[in-house]
Amino acid sequence: MQFILDFFGYIQALGVSVMMPIILTLLGTLLGAGFGKSLRAGLTVGVGFIGLNLVINSLLGTTLAPAVQTMVNNYGLSLSIVDVGWPAAAAIAMGSTIGAIIIPLGLLVNILMLLTNTTQTVDVDIWNYWHFAFTGSLVAIATGKMWIGIVAAVVNMIIVFVLGDITAPLIEESLGMPGVSMPHGFTVAYAPIAMAINWVIDKIPGLNKIDLNLEKIQEQFGVLGEPVFIGTVIGIVIGFFAYGFDLKVVLPLGVSLGAVLVLIPKMAALLMEGLIPISDAASEFIQKHFKSRGKMYIGLDSAVGCGHPTTLAISLILVPCMIILAFIIPGNQVLPFTDLAVAPYMLVLITPVVKNNGFRGILVGIIVLAAGLLVATNLAPAITAAAAQVGFAMPDGATMISSLCDGANPLSWLLYHGMSTLGYIGMGVLVVASLALAFWNRTRILKEAKELHEAEK
């Protein structure tokens, strides 16, 4: 058992840019794509992830985040809970006992769900299993019972895999990514909220007619509507609020954010180039051996969807708005900082839900960010306790810490309070609800498979 844990720990420690090529090469070969073709596909995906991380961390992390922090300093704003960011949250999750077993546990749950037709997603993004470990760790510490924390992690997996299936057709239609789902514990948690808000907007006369589509804007305004120009303008506006009329700082910030809207889609396209052979091989394999299982999806990190122009434009607009929200929302105590660069991950599935409508995306995004800040505030004591247990070094002067990823995750919040605050009754309700959701998904999958089979006749 220890050997298995050490093996998965070693693989996970290699990082996503190394781990994904290994996994995709093995998966592609097993599915019949051939070793050489699978290796090339895996390495292409690895390069794509390196490119995405370079753009997000180097451009967003080193230009946008400092500008927003300067705005905070200029106006003398301060809040008591420190946003330590997703790397710290992941370290807390993977440094726990549940973190040590989460990868083999996640693979087991995924395989069982595939065998029982309760999911269509083959989740190869095992690095992001840390989201499940994060939830499980919080519950285990709050209840003092490791097994309850494991139950919480498993329930989290089931819900996320089902949501990944449900949103996959939207991803294909809106983002142009066939055969891909995003069972990302952080990103997919906002999809049901976006669906509910979008449904309400559809019922409001006048509001339901507003459509701000970047593609249409580009058609109407030509070069002035292109992503590079939109990003540059947004960057300059943020720069003026942060640095005044210091053009030596403002103009480079504008060009940098314009570059973000150009480079991230290119990196996402590189990812898709690598995934297409694996996705095609998976489809052929399923059609040949498992006709009753319907369409299958390769589960990937939501980073592959960050490149959509609407998602990026909304993100650049909402990042400074997040700071304003942090100070005007009653009850919030979290100052967003380290995780400002992960704003696109919160919005990746919102864009497909609203059919690329930028107006609706901004409206839904504001509501999601406001709710996320309150969730992050509420979970801060539990996150601080989890950090102390794994020996995480607290920032100087900080008494409590949180993060936007995964501290602002509404699904983590629901599972944490359902299993720790409501006890065994809450746990029972959540377990039954997750199994009912899985059974409903099975019914949907079998119906879809039957329709596909009849269409082929």
Side-chain angles (χ1 to χ4, degrees):
M1 182 64 180
Q2 187 58 46
F3 171 78
I4 295 174
L5 295 177
D6 291 342
F7 170 77
F8 282 109
Y10 178 79
I11 296 295
Q12 184 266 335
L14 293 174
V16 66
S17 61
V18 174
M19 187 176 65
M20 289 301 291
I22 294 173
I23 293 172
L24 290 177
T25 300
L26 293 173
L27 181 63
T29 303
L30 290 172
L31 291 174
F35 176 77
K37 192 175 182 180
S38 300
L39 177 61
R40 182 187 181 281
L43 289 173
T44 302
V45 170
V47 171
F49 270 109
I50 289 175
L52 273 175
N53 288 330
L54 283 173
V55 176
I56 291 173
N57 295 330
S58 298
L59 290 179
L60 284 181
T62 62
T63 58
L64 183 59
V68 173
Q69 184 61 31
T70 301
M71 290 170 59
V72 171
N73 295 336
N74 289 345
Y75 295 100
L77 306 174
S78 63
L79 293 168
S80 61
I81 300 174
V82 179
D83 168 24
V84 294
W86 76 263
I92 291 169
M94 300 308 286
S96 66
T97 304
I98 293 179
I101 65 170
I102 197 63
I103 291 179
L105 178 64
L107 290 172
L108 178 61
V109 171
N110 192 199
I111 290 170
L112 287 175
M113 291 185 70
L114 288 167
L115 292 175
T116 56
N117 261 355
T118 50
T119 188
Q120 297 165 285
T121 293
V122 181
D123 189 8
V124 300
D125 183 28
I126 62 176
W127 156 250
N128 277 306
Y129 285 8
W130 76 260
H131 295 281
F132 309 136
F134 183 84
T135 301
S137 297
L138 295 187
V139 172
I141 291 171
T143 61
K145 295 180 173 62
M146 185 59 59
W147 71 271
I148 298 181
I150 294 173
V151 170
V154 171
V155 169
N156 198 353
M157 293 174 197
I158 294 171
I159 295 172
V160 166
F161 289 151
V162 173
L163 289 176
D165 292 345
I166 295 170
T167 54
L170 297 176
I171 292 171
E172 179 171 354
E173 177 186 352
S174 177
L175 305 183
M177 296 181 178
V180 169
S181 69
M182 297 179 191
H184 189 279
F186 177 58
T187 300
V188 79
Y190 298 101
I193 300 174
M195 291 175 182
I197 298 172
N198 193 56
W199 181 84
V200 172
I201 294 175
D202 279 336
K203 306 300 179 183
I204 302 176
L207 201 64
N208 57 12
K209 301 297 183 183
I210 302 175
D211 186 4
L212 183 62
N213 189 299
L214 282 185
E215 293 180 1
K216 294 179 181 178
I217 290 175
Q218 186 171 338
E219 291 175 3
Q220 294 174 354
F221 293 95
V223 66
L224 299 182
E226 292 184 4
V228 65
F229 184 80
I230 294 172
T232 301
V233 170
I234 293 173
I236 289 174
V237 171
I238 293 173
F240 277 131
F241 278 104
Y243 307 112
F245 292 92
D246 187 353
L247 297 183
K248 291 182 179 179
V249 182
V250 172
L251 294 180
L253 175 62
V255 176
S256 293
L257 295 191
V260 168
L261 265 66
V262 173
L263 294 177
I264 288 185
K266 293 185 181 300
M267 293 302 103
L270 190 62
L271 281 168
M272 286 310 302
E273 179 186 334
L275 288 170
I276 287 173
I278 308 299
S279 178
D280 288 346
S283 297
E284 292 177 10
F285 184 86
I286 294 301
Q287 288 299 316
K288 183 177 180 180
H289 299 284
F290 302 100
K291 288 188 176 182
S292 65
R293 296 185 184 276
K295 189 172 183 178
M296 298 297 290
Y297 302 105
I298 304 297
L300 296 174
D301 190 319
S302 56
V304 300
C306 286
H308 196 281
T310 300
T311 301
L312 288 173
I314 293 172
S315 300
L316 295 181
I317 292 170
L318 290 181
V319 165
C321 288
M322 194 188 308
I323 298 297
I324 298 172
L325 289 171
F327 290 97
I328 65 174
I329 296 175
N332 175 62
Q333 289 298 316
V334 176
L335 175 62
F337 175 55
T338 307
D339 263 348
L340 286 173
V342 306
Y345 293 85
M346 302 176 74
L347 306 170
V348 166
L349 288 179
I350 292 177
T351 297
V353 167
V354 300
K355 307 294 184 183
N356 303 344
N357 186 327
F359 170 76
R360 292 195 182 194
I362 292 172
L363 192 59
V364 173
I366 289 173
I367 297 172
V368 162
L369 292 176
L373 287 169
L374 292 176
V375 168
T377 298
N378 183 264
L379 288 180
I383 295 172
T384 304
Q389 188 172 91
V390 300
F392 177 77
M394 296 281 286
D396 292 338
T399 56
M400 276 204 296
I401 61 172
S402 191
S403 69
L404 298 181
C405 176
D406 242 11
N409 189 328
L411 183 54
S412 295
W413 178 85
L414 175 65
L415 294 174
Y416 172 77
H417 283 291
M419 295 194 181
S420 63
T421 305
L422 300 180
Y424 291 119
I425 294 176
M427 181 178 69
V429 170
L430 288 168
V431 169
V432 171
S434 66
L435 293 176
L437 184 64
F439 180 78
W440 170 84
N441 199 38
R442 171 183 164 83
T443 303
R444 183 191 62 80
I445 291 170
L446 294 177
K447 180 181 178 182
E448 177 186 292
K450 183 179 179 181
E451 292 173 351
L452 286 173
H453 184 61
E454 291 176 351
E456 291 173 355
K457 289 183 178 179

